[in-house]
Amino acid sequence: MRRRPAEYRRPAKRRLSQWILALLGIFLIAGLVLFVFHHNHHEDQVKQPMMGENVTKEPLKHEGLNFTKEISSASSFSRQLAEQMTLAKAYVIIAKEHNNLHLAWQLSNKIKNCQLLLSKAAKRGESITLEEAEQIISSLSDLIFKAQDAHYDIATTMMTMKSHIQALEERTNAATVQSTLFGQLVAEALPKSLHCLKVKLTNDWLRQLPFQNLVEEKRNSPRVVDNNLYHFCIFSDNVLATSVVVNSTISNADHPKQLVFHIVTNGISYGSMQVWFLTNDFKGATVEVQNMEEFTWLNASYASVIKRLLDQDSRAYYFGVYQDMKVEPKLRNPKHMSLLNHLRFYIPEVYPLLAKVIFLDDDVVVQKDLTRLFSLDLHGNVNGAVETCLEAFHRYYKYINFSNPIISSKFDPQACGWAFGMNVFDLIAWRKENVTSRYHYWQEQNGDQMLWKLGALPPALLAFYGLTEPLDRRWHVLGLGYDMNIDDRLINSAAVIHFNGNMKPWLKLAIGRYKPLWESVRTVKDPILADGVSFPPAKAVELFVPRQFL
């Protein structure tokens, strides 16, 4: 067979060697690419944080680090440490309950290390680094896995934590009730300085007959029954608080000499009240002090509250030791059964010759002239008061039990409540509508305390239902004895500010923001009281209380 020429022969071996070289080149390039990629990827893993944070060439600046935001960040070591520490604390409790004290000790030790690292980071204002966190996270993870291997599963953990949460809730509730009780006791107690003041003034009343002669002169004054003057009534046994009310009212009146104040107190405070107001001149205003124990008509056959006071169960409930911690202390506050507190329902009997009067609580401060209230048209109503139904909890159904058919058939549950403490009373309309009899009726209906639980406001809402004229809100602003967030503009525009609540301005637990409003009424320094307390602004009279008594 003839051989082909050389140029037409098949280059088998040459082609084979070319393919081999090409494949080797491809493998070499692929290997080089893989090596470079693997090397760069390994460097990224070393440089990046555990949770995959982006790495920047420039060093991180930690100035002004917000540690709260840091610990809440899902990509921070602080967050990982905090979460592991929380889980470890749960396992500490479970390990102790299963008597695995060694594991509990190990977990507690790591928890301390976590807390120390977190506190250091917060103190220096810098994030926790990988080097700092890696060992603690790793060792704590091992202990948590060890705890899980010891059959402390999620179900066991949840049940154990639930029982501990319930125990903590019970302890919290008990502490809350106890705290409320102590706060109530503090609010009811008379400060030592005021007690000493009352004792000293009472002593002066008993030792000095001229005071009693002055009382007889004022009692027969025609001014106390002159309906051309402006009459205010206050029922209180607190000398200092009553003085603030009188002084602030006079200080803001355009014509103080046309004001008449009718103060009613109990037998214990009567002498001290008389001495205080007899030895001070309140810019020509008339001040009458009466002893409610001299009201012969105020007896058990007429007043429902006296009947309840004579009942042994009622006395034990209100005046006994708080034994049942389930009952709110405020429900058993003796002030709810105080005759002075309920005397407001007998104003026409106390002042039978007066036509109109403004009632003021002893925990108010007057900031504007109140005489304009006497010219307001009440449109035939008995009571002029500021309504308090801006919030739902001040409507009738929140004060009174509307499940009772007698209540539900006569009253609207959505009717507006109103405030006691600054009220204009038309005594002529009061007598015509026989409001006091209404009050007696509802007190009798509530003999089992099923219609309402406490206070003078619920029976007042029933007795004055349909007989209350709403006043502008600026006449009376409440809440300075419990609400710390009252708008300053509302306070400044108010004619009367009311320190209703337990934090009275004469107590140490008073709200500091509002206390100067009460203290500002004391304008003249007088040795009668410590800390610069004095009354009145018109004339400083040296009374008979040395500084050491206060």
Side-chain angles (χ1 to χ4, degrees):
M1 175 182 261
R2 285 183 67 182
R3 292 177 60 88
R4 293 181 181 182
E7 58 271 20
Y8 296 107
R9 292 176 187 172
R10 186 179 297 170
K13 292 182 180 181
R14 184 180 299 175
R15 289 180 179 178
L16 179 63
S17 61
Q18 289 176 350
W19 276 104
I20 292 173
L21 290 174
L23 288 173
L24 287 175
I26 291 172
F27 279 119
L28 181 62
I29 294 171
L32 181 62
V33 170
L34 287 174
F35 174 77
V36 172
F37 176 78
H38 181 267
H39 178 72
N40 291 338
H41 181 67
H42 177 72
E43 286 185 349
D44 288 343
Q45 284 185 327
V46 172
K47 292 180 181 178
Q48 288 180 349
M50 185 174 294
M51 298 303 294
E53 289 184 340
N54 294 328
V55 179
T56 58
K57 294 181 180 180
E58 297 179 358
L60 292 174
K61 296 181 180 180
H62 301 291
E63 294 181 1
L65 178 68
N66 188 332
F67 196 72
T68 302
K69 187 179 293 186
E70 171 76 10
I71 205 168
S72 62
S73 172
S75 60
S76 69
F77 294 123
S78 301
R79 171 70 174 270
Q80 295 180 56
L81 288 169
E83 290 177 348
Q84 281 194 314
M85 189 167 59
T86 301
L87 186 59
K89 287 179 180 179
Y91 281 124
V92 167
I93 297 172
I94 299 174
K96 287 181 179 179
E97 289 185 349
H98 289 77
N99 206 29
N100 193 344
L101 301 181
H102 181 66
L103 177 59
W105 177 84
Q106 288 180 308
L107 288 167
S108 298
N109 189 41
K110 292 301 178 183
I111 290 171
K112 290 179 181 178
N113 293 339
C114 283
Q115 292 172 335
L116 182 61
L117 181 56
L118 288 171
S119 64
K120 286 181 178 179
K123 185 176 181 180
R124 73 192 181 200
E126 296 180 357
S127 300
I128 297 175
T129 63
L130 173 65
E131 291 77 12
E132 292 175 317
E134 185 176 16
Q135 183 178 359
I136 295 178
I137 292 176
S138 177
S139 57
L140 194 52
S141 298
D142 292 340
L143 288 174
I144 291 173
F145 288 135
K146 185 177 179 180
Q148 292 174 346
D149 291 339
H151 307 292
Y152 305 150
D153 56 9
I154 297 299
T156 304
T157 304
M158 290 176 64
M159 291 300 295
T160 304
M161 290 299 100
K162 185 176 180 180
S163 64
H164 280 279
I165 290 172
Q166 290 175 344
L168 286 173
E169 286 179 348
E170 291 176 1
R171 290 172 60 185
T172 301
N173 291 336
T176 301
V177 172
Q178 193 174 42
S179 175
T180 304
L181 172 59
F182 291 156
Q184 191 72 52
L185 292 174
V186 171
E188 293 172 16
L190 187 68
K192 181 181 177 182
S193 59
L194 297 186
H195 174 73
C196 293
L197 173 63
K198 182 184 289 188
V199 170
K200 187 62 177 69
L201 291 173
T202 302
N203 182 59
D204 293 331
W205 167 256
L206 295 174
R207 292 178 59 185
Q208 300 191 37
L209 292 177
F211 286 135
Q212 301 179 25
N213 295 331
L214 285 172
V215 168
E216 291 301 324
E217 293 179 10
K218 286 198 172 185
R219 184 174 296 177
N220 298 322
S221 172
R223 291 175 58 86
V224 297
V225 293
D226 187 351
N227 282 305
N228 294 316
L229 302 177
Y230 304 109
H231 295 268
F232 300 82
C233 63
I234 307 165
F235 305 143
S236 174
D237 60 352
N238 189 325
V239 178
L240 196 61
T242 305
S243 297
V244 170
V245 179
V246 173
N247 191 44
S248 62
T249 306
I250 291 172
S251 300
N252 291 282
D254 293 334
H255 305 286
K257 292 183 179 181
Q258 296 182 14
L259 307 185
V260 180
F261 293 89
H262 304 270
I263 300 169
V264 179
T265 188
N266 54 29
I268 297 175
S269 304
Y270 178 69
S272 59
M273 283 280 191
Q274 287 286 17
V275 173
W276 182 270
F277 287 101
L278 286 172
T279 52
N280 288 278
D281 179 15
F282 291 88
K283 291 187 177 180
T286 300
V287 180
E288 176 196 31
V289 179
Q290 293 177 277
N291 182 358
M292 71 174 182
E293 296 177 9
E294 296 178 359
F295 298 154
T296 56
W297 50 266
L298 191 62
N299 51 57
S301 62
Y302 179 64
S304 303
V305 66
I306 296 181
K307 293 179 184 178
R308 189 168 297 178
L309 277 172
L310 296 176
D311 182 70
Q312 291 184 355
D313 292 337
S314 295
R315 291 187 63 83
Y317 182 83
Y318 287 103
F319 299 99
V321 179
Y322 296 114
Q323 295 177 349
D324 188 0
M325 298 298 286
K326 294 181 181 179
V327 179
E328 289 187 67
K330 69 176 182 179
L331 296 179
R332 305 178 66 169
N333 191 336
K335 77 174 184 179
H336 300 313
M337 290 296 291
S338 167
L339 279 178
L340 283 173
N341 194 38
H342 284 262
L343 199 61
R344 63 192 69 189
F345 293 101
Y346 301 98
I347 292 177
E349 284 85 348
V350 179
Y351 312 110
L353 299 178
L354 296 183
K356 184 174 285 188
V357 67
I358 291 180
F359 168 78
L360 296 173
D361 262 337
D362 66 356
D363 54 353
V364 305
V365 172
V366 178
Q367 300 186 132
K368 299 185 185 302
D369 188 2
L370 297 185
T371 57
R372 290 178 294 159
L373 286 170
F374 287 89
S375 60
L376 287 180
D377 186 2
L378 297 182
H379 300 96
N381 288 311
V382 177
N383 173 31
V386 171
E387 291 184 334
T388 57
C389 58
L390 294 177
E391 301 293 340
F393 57 82
H394 285 301
R395 297 187 181 273
Y396 267 50
Y397 74 93
K398 286 295 184 179
Y399 295 100
I400 304 164
N401 179 16
F402 272 84
S403 65
N404 187 295
I406 301 177
I407 295 295
S408 59
S409 64
K410 294 179 180 293
F411 302 97
D412 178 9
Q414 293 295 331
C416 269
W418 44 268
F420 249 144
M422 196 291 297
N423 305 80
V424 185
F425 290 124
D426 184 336
L427 301 186
I428 296 175
W430 184 315
R431 297 182 186 100
K432 180 181 177 182
E433 298 292 343
N434 211 356
V435 175
T436 303
S437 294
R438 293 189 182 190
Y439 162 74
H440 286 161
Y441 171 79
W442 290 115
Q443 283 286 11
E444 293 292 340
Q445 293 296 318
N446 194 42
D448 56 359
Q449 295 186 348
M450 295 301 294
L451 299 186
W452 69 86
K453 292 296 183 184
L454 58 86
L457 183 57
L461 295 177
L462 301 179
F464 290 97
Y465 185 73
L467 300 173
T468 299
E469 179 72 16
L471 302 180
D472 189 290
R473 187 185 180 193
R474 290 170 295 180
W475 280 111
H476 187 191
V477 171
L478 299 97
L480 280 75
Y482 68 89
D483 187 353
M484 301 186 183
N485 299 307
I486 303 175
D487 193 332
D488 287 333
R489 293 172 296 180
L490 188 61
I491 294 175
N492 294 333
S493 65
V496 173
I497 53 175
H498 196 167
F499 290 82
N500 58 311
N502 285 337
M503 300 179 182
K504 302 299 184 187
W506 54 83
L507 300 176
K508 288 186 177 180
L509 51 77
I511 300 175
R513 177 186 164 203
Y514 307 134
K515 192 168 183 177
L517 298 172
W518 189 81
E519 292 178 335
S520 64
V521 184
R522 304 177 297 187
T523 55
V524 178
K525 293 186 177 180
D526 192 298
I528 186 159
L529 287 174
D531 303 324
V533 179
S534 69
F535 296 88
K539 179 182 178 182
V541 179
E542 184 178 356
L543 297 185
F544 309 100
V545 185
R547 187 179 295 273
Q548 63 264 26
F549 276 89
L550 304 167

